Amino acid sequence: MNPLRRNPKELNVFLIASLINTTGGALMWPLVSMYVFDELGRSLADAGLAILVQSLGGIIGQLLGGALYHRVGVKRLVTGSLALNASVLLVLPLLSGNWQLFIGAMWLIGLFNSMSLPAIQSYIGFRFTERRAEIFNIIYVANNIGVALGTALSGFLADFSYHLSFIANGATSAFFAVFFLFYLKSTDVAQGTGASAASSHNKAGSPGTWALLSNVRLYLLLASGALLLHIGNSIWNTGVSPFIVGEEMPKRYYGFLWTLNGVLIFVAQPLLGLIKRYLTRTVSAQMTASSLFYAAGYACILLMQSYPGMVLGMILATLGEMLISPAIPAYLSEHGGAHAPFYIGLAGGIGSGGRVIGPYVMGSLYDAGGLPPVTWLALAAALVSAGAYWAHSAWNRQAARQSLSAATGGQGLSG
């Protein structure tokens, strides 16, 4: 049976629009380093700075997106941030002559694009409560198809013009903003997802930011595990990539690894279903298993230190990615209640810090000792992440038992 037929029509329309938006976003990010180095004539260090600034903007964007969800409302937050993102992308070609303005624009692109992510994830979690874990996975697969299409098209567009890639990205972001505006008008935005619900939520009185942050049991170990996985995942850019170049392998071998990643995310869904059915029946178990899959992949790279080991490592790491990516927003949507947007943005922001830390630390290790120390760090990060997710699950199980015991005891006394 076609899985799309099981979905509400509105969700399928959303998936198509999201795929178009993701395809547009993927047109740009592979070309940033090349554009700065080739078109702007600056150093690779400057190219790395541009990506770093965009990543930092993304971290702040996720934190802001989660915090503003109930204050602004999903409609204004999503459409506004996407429209601002589109505006900056469309004027980006005009800023290439001024390095400071270009860097500022990269920060804004990271900020505005990421502000919409917690809101969109929270909207899906609120609206499709009964199938949220399944639907998060469907969206994850659709978005990865968009990434594969975008990265494949980016090279062809760059042959004509780098600026054409930026403009196409801006156009798809503007399209998604308009789509989401009309999409929300045509659907029921109950359960705290609309602007009016956000207003009533504020009138009812919402806990302050510090009160929400104090609920560390919900998010801290979960977000720390994601941060560690992002640090370990930096091995592909700052370990595997220079190793392939240093060993004088064809550069297409590196591209093939990411092609394998994209293909597996699509074709390995039946295998993922079996893993979830028989090995990881809860979202918490999926997180722990994800880290172990990552660790097994890095162990293959460490033991073999060859291209076949990297292929096997990518297969195992992709299975880990397939488990963790939908699991975190699904867990926080289920357990965060009305404040799920805040926690999704908070966990996303903390986890994304690994993308900032990882490349620098691993680059330094690779310069000092080559592939082995980089792989040891990735392996250690994945294992500690598994411990963090296991501890997160145990901590929350214990708290749930204590709450149940207190509630049962209270009923007994009142009787």
Side-chain angles (χ1 to χ4, degrees):
M1 180 179 178
N2 186 344
L4 293 180
R5 293 180 181 175
R6 297 182 55 222
N7 298 330
K9 183 179 179 180
E10 61 168 281
L11 177 60
N12 291 333
V13 174
F14 178 86
L15 288 173
I16 294 170
S18 181
L19 186 147
I20 293 172
N21 182 57
T22 307
T23 301
L27 290 173
M28 180 179 166
W29 68 262
L31 301 177
V32 172
S33 294
M34 193 183 300
Y35 175 75
V36 172
F37 182 71
D38 182 31
E39 184 80 5
L40 302 186
R42 303 190 72 93
S43 67
L44 286 175
D46 285 340
L49 175 63
I51 295 173
L52 174 63
V53 168
Q54 185 180 7
S55 299
L56 290 173
I59 292 173
I60 297 172
Q62 290 206 60
L63 295 173
L64 276 176
L68 293 175
Y69 185 93
H70 284 300
R71 291 178 172 85
V72 176
V74 64
K75 184 188 300 182
R76 283 186 290 178
L77 181 57
V78 173
T79 58
S81 59
L82 288 171
L84 289 169
N85 185 53
S87 301
V88 179
L89 283 164
L90 291 172
V91 302
L92 188 62
L94 304 177
L95 306 178
S96 58
N98 188 308
W99 176 244
Q100 286 75 22
L101 288 178
F102 179 82
I103 284 292
M106 292 301 295
W107 185 82
L108 290 174
I109 289 168
L111 176 76
F112 293 140
N113 187 56
S114 295
M115 278 179 66
S116 65
L117 297 179
I120 293 172
Q121 290 177 330
S122 298
Y123 172 81
I124 294 298
F126 283 137
R127 180 155 182 79
F128 303 103
T129 54
E130 295 180 358
R131 296 175 55 205
R132 60 163 65 100
E134 177 189 358
I135 290 173
F136 274 126
N137 187 63
I138 293 171
I139 293 172
Y140 164 70
V141 174
N143 286 346
N144 273 277
I145 294 172
V147 169
L149 290 173
T151 52
L153 290 172
S154 63
F156 294 101
L157 287 176
D159 283 337
F160 292 99
S161 169
Y162 288 108
H163 295 165
L164 186 60
S165 298
F166 302 155
I167 293 170
N169 189 357
T172 56
S173 186
F175 159 79
F176 198 52
V178 174
F179 162 81
F180 213 91
L181 178 64
F182 287 97
Y183 175 80
L184 288 176
K185 284 184 178 180
S186 63
T187 58
D188 176 19
V189 288
Q191 301 182 43
T193 60
S196 60
S199 176
S200 63
H201 173 85
N202 288 334
K203 291 177 182 177
S206 171
T209 299
W210 289 113
L212 295 175
L213 288 172
S214 66
N215 188 16
V216 293
R217 175 175 53 83
L218 177 64
Y219 70 88
L220 185 59
L221 288 173
L222 180 149
S224 299
L227 183 146
L228 289 165
L229 287 183
H230 285 312
I231 290 175
N233 211 34
S234 299
I235 189 176
W236 301 106
N237 293 325
T238 47
V240 170
S241 176
F243 180 83
I244 287 175
V245 173
E247 293 294 310
E248 298 183 351
M249 300 180 195
K251 294 182 178 64
R252 64 178 179 272
Y253 280 18
Y254 182 67
F256 173 74
L257 290 174
W258 289 110
T259 302
L260 176 63
N261 172 266
V263 170
L264 280 173
I265 288 171
F266 184 69
V267 303
Q269 288 299 314
L271 175 59
L272 184 69
L274 292 175
I275 292 172
K276 289 180 178 179
R277 180 178 299 176
Y278 295 109
L279 298 178
T280 59
R281 297 185 179 182
T282 66
V283 174
S284 295
Q286 288 174 33
M287 293 188 231
T288 306
S290 167
S291 297
L292 296 177
F293 271 111
Y294 273 110
Y298 301 145
C300 290
I301 297 174
L302 182 65
L303 293 173
M304 301 175 72
Q305 295 191 34
S306 64
Y307 191 70
M310 294 171 183
V311 171
L312 184 56
M314 178 58 86
I315 292 171
L316 292 168
T318 300
L319 289 173
E321 177 190 345
M322 292 166 69
L323 284 168
I324 193 69
S325 293
I328 290 178
Y331 181 89
L332 292 174
S333 293
E334 181 178 352
H335 296 276
H339 308 295
F342 176 85
Y343 290 116
I344 289 175
L346 180 62
I350 294 173
S352 295
R355 294 193 179 103
V356 177
I357 300 169
Y360 177 78
V361 174
M362 288 198 168
S364 301
L365 286 176
Y366 192 91
D367 288 340
L371 185 62
V374 170
T375 313
W376 274 113
L377 174 60
L379 177 59
L383 290 174
V384 176
S385 175
Y389 286 133
W390 178 86
H392 172 268
S393 178
W395 191 4
N396 281 274
R397 281 199 309 269
Q398 182 183 16
R401 284 196 297 266
Q402 290 174 348
S403 297
L404 180 62
S405 176
T408 305
Q411 291 173 0
L413 290 172
S414 64

